[in-house]
Amino acid sequence: MRKRVLALFFSALMAMSAVTGCGSGAAKSETTAAAKGSEGGESSAADKGAEGEKVTLTVFDGYAGEDPHGQYIYKYAEEYMAANPNVTIEVQAVSTNDIYTKLSAMAATPDDVPTIFFTSADAVATLHDLGLTADISKLVPEDLKSAFANGVVESCMLGEEMSYFPVAVQPTAVIYRTDRFKEAGLETPKTWEEFVETAKALTKDTNGDGQMDEWGFDMVGSNNSSGQSRFMAYLWSNGIECVTEDNGKWATDITEDQKFMDAFSRWTNMNVEGIVPTGITEVDYPTAANYFAMGYASMFLTGPNALGVAYANNPDLKGNLGSFKMPGDFPGTMLGTEGYAVSAHATDAEKEAAIDYLRFFVEHDKDMQFWQSSGKIPATAEGQKAEYVSGEDYAGYLQQIADGCRPTVKFAGVSGLKSALGNAYASVFSNEKSNEEAVKTLISDINELLEDYN
């Protein structure tokens, strides 16, 4: 059974695009060791806890190879080492796709597992199931826990264990062109039916050549983690749980009933109706983010990091973007907390130094350079007061956080679940199957997956 589970996990991960949380730019793969600082400072908890013991922290970092915010990963590491000369931090820039694949392979050789590694809410359950994540609940001081924003610590919990250290939150919402909405006299949609009608009104042939070149909905239709995660969020917002725990066993409410068939068909029919970009199966997150930044689309279901991409590529969008909560009567998003797990195989000194460094990471930069340049929302309550998140562009995300998000998915087979969902919509987009045929296959695949975990 475990072999099949791991096979499903590997196949899903190999299909992932290089994205963090709800999607981000591709990370570079080269390895870089942060230069050790030479200037000393006051002794930190790492010094005192390790009694001056030399500690090396190796880091698999999904942020480090990304522009423009990756530079701050190295900057923060260098600043920490300058103040803590007994600690050396070696950063390896690895795409999130490769991080999970490499870590899964390392489960059999724990000595190879890095001390710290990037993770997020939709992957940590699988890494925890593989025995890779340390319980840091007693390592993170209570005053630091209380400094995180509402719901953040809870989103990092798997049972009684705090499975990773939060850095940013990435709830899903819809960013949109406020200027185009005003020009067309449109209100932000509250239901998915309204969303489709709004997207139709925003889909245009701007040059009169008979081909649509401006789409209402910037759908990520690729069959990878970015597309799959967005589709699952859409299903959640429609009241479809996908997988639930029932009396100690995993179950699904994905069936051939009308509620699911309507939701599934509405998603795939947006391609038929031409309100999403052409060649939808090839539209991954980086492509969609570029389309939105260049003005080819007017609504984008995504995490707040896409705002950073949009402004970096098209500064003229400043003042013309807003965000609104996902349509639907149900929360369609987890808080999307992302950050760093500490290896369960690290020594006590390494674990203590790792937590001390991560605290430094989230607390020391009052200008919030990493978060502001990436467009991410800080995990701390103080960080969420930063000026850059106070505008209309972040309003939908902050409203969703205030209203409450879904709890973190604790199903260790979530990668296999997402893969099954992706295969279903992709088979319709490519005209291989009808909606009805795709749903039948999806139900069979999910039931087989749940059998493995039950």
Side-chain angles (χ1 to χ4, degrees), residues 31 47 77 89 133 138 152 174 188 194-195 213 227 237 249 261 265 284 316 327 348 379 383 391 403:
T31 301
D47 280 309
I89 301 173
T133 59
K138 294 182 180 179
V152 169
V174 179
T188 54
E194 292 176 355
F195 182 90
D213 49 35
S237 70
K249 288 195 173 183
M261 287 301 308
S265 299
D284 56 10
D316 291 340
D348 289 345
D403 291 349

Side-chain angles (χ1 to χ4, degrees), residues 431-450:
N431 295 316
E432 295 174 16
K433 294 180 180 178
S434 66
N435 286 319
E436 292 75 15
E437 291 169 337
V439 169
K440 285 182 183 293
T441 302
L442 172 62
I443 292 169
S444 175
D445 289 345
I446 291 180
N447 287 336
E448 186 175 358
L449 175 69
L450 296 184

Side-chain angles (χ1 to χ4, degrees), residues 19 53 322 437:
V19 346
E53 177 183 345
E437 291 169 337

